[in-house]
Amino acid sequence: MTQRFMAPADIEAKSFRILQEKMGPFHGTEEELAIVTRVAHATADVDFGMSLYIHEGAIKSGLSALRSGAPVITDVEMVRAGIRKDGLESMGGRVLTFLNDPEVAEMARNTENATRSQMAMRKALPRMEGAIVAIGNAPTALFEIIDRIKAKEASPALVIGMPIGFVGAAESHQELIELDYPSITAPGPKGGSPVAAAIVNALIKLALRP
């Protein structure tokens, strides 16, 4: 019979035991496993978690940024809401989201074929040096970051590229992979704000280890 009520810590522990059984052997680092497991847990999709692309410099760069108090810049409030702010703030960092900034809305109105998410990334450019950028919703935001990195106008420590959908998401993921830049993404159209937040939270937990 299913146990319907359990303590939160017991639920989490049991969830991760089940995940480890489903995942089987993992041929990566302990830190990569922590991220993959967190994503699989957030999505209840082991195959998706195992499909993550983690650039060889991504984790080291992301952890260094967090420990130095760098901000996490997100494309939407949903990613912001899902990030473990107490852990981030204990290292001197904070979450920045410019989507609802009035100036961003004005920029989007005055720029042809522009989205607010794209313009929010432009607004964030002065804060982006050495930061972590976590995109969980808008492919246009990720395309903007990729273009700015290519133009040497942005140099974040890490790009987490997880926009979701059938228009542009898979293409933006692939462009990020081909950029050969410290990044975490996944082939195909899957992603979403909970995934982006889960990756940030996994990195925060790793950064806080003694």
Side-chain angles (χ1 to χ4, degrees):
M1 183 176 178
T2 301
Q3 186 176 354
R4 295 175 62 203
F5 299 105
M6 298 172 63
D10 293 336
I11 293 171
E12 183 176 54
K14 184 174 181 179
S15 293
F16 279 94
R17 284 198 302 271
I18 293 169
L19 269 175
Q20 288 165 2
E21 291 173 4
K22 289 182 176 294
M23 287 171 64
F26 182 78
H27 304 292
T29 68
E30 181 182 349
E31 292 170 332
E32 289 170 342
L33 177 61
I35 293 170
V36 167
T37 304
R38 183 63 62 174
V39 169
H41 180 262
T43 60
D45 189 337
V46 171
D47 290 338
F48 177 64
M50 296 287 279
S51 77
L52 288 184
Y53 164 83
I54 303 176
H55 184 274
E56 61 182 1
I59 295 175
K60 181 179 179 180
S61 186
L63 294 182
S64 178
L66 289 171
R67 289 168 178 155
S68 69
V72 177
I73 298 170
T74 73
D75 61 330
V76 291
E77 293 292 340
M78 283 186 66
V79 180
R80 178 190 181 101
I83 291 173
R84 183 187 165 192
K85 295 174 191 63
D86 56 344
L88 180 64
E89 291 169 0
S90 72
M91 294 181 283
R94 60 184 180 135
V95 185
L96 302 175
T97 309
F98 297 100
L99 184 69
N100 295 320
D101 187 301
E103 184 180 353
V104 167
E106 185 69 17
M107 290 165 66
R109 282 193 295 270
N110 294 331
T111 306
E112 187 176 0
N113 296 325
T115 67
R116 281 196 301 139
S117 297
Q118 179 187 2
M119 294 299 103
M121 292 300 104
R122 291 191 188 179
K123 173 78 174 179
L125 283 173
R127 312 285 188 90
M128 204 168 286
E129 176 79 26
I132 292 175
V133 178
I135 308 297
N137 182 73
T140 55
L142 184 51
F143 283 132
E144 180 69 19
I145 294 300
I146 291 168
D147 288 346
R148 296 294 175 167
I149 291 172
K150 287 180 177 178
K152 301 190 184 306
E153 296 172 354
S155 53
L158 172 65
V159 179
I160 297 169
M162 286 295 176
I164 186 172
F166 297 108
V167 180
E171 291 83 358
S172 67
H173 296 178
Q174 189 58 37
E175 280 200 23
L176 183 59
I177 291 170
E178 292 172 359
L179 187 62
D180 191 24
Y181 193 86
S183 59
I184 301 174
T185 186
K190 290 185 178 181
S193 296
V195 178
I199 294 170
V200 174
N201 288 337
L203 289 168
I204 289 171
K205 188 171 182 178
L206 288 169
L208 289 170
R209 282 183 178 176

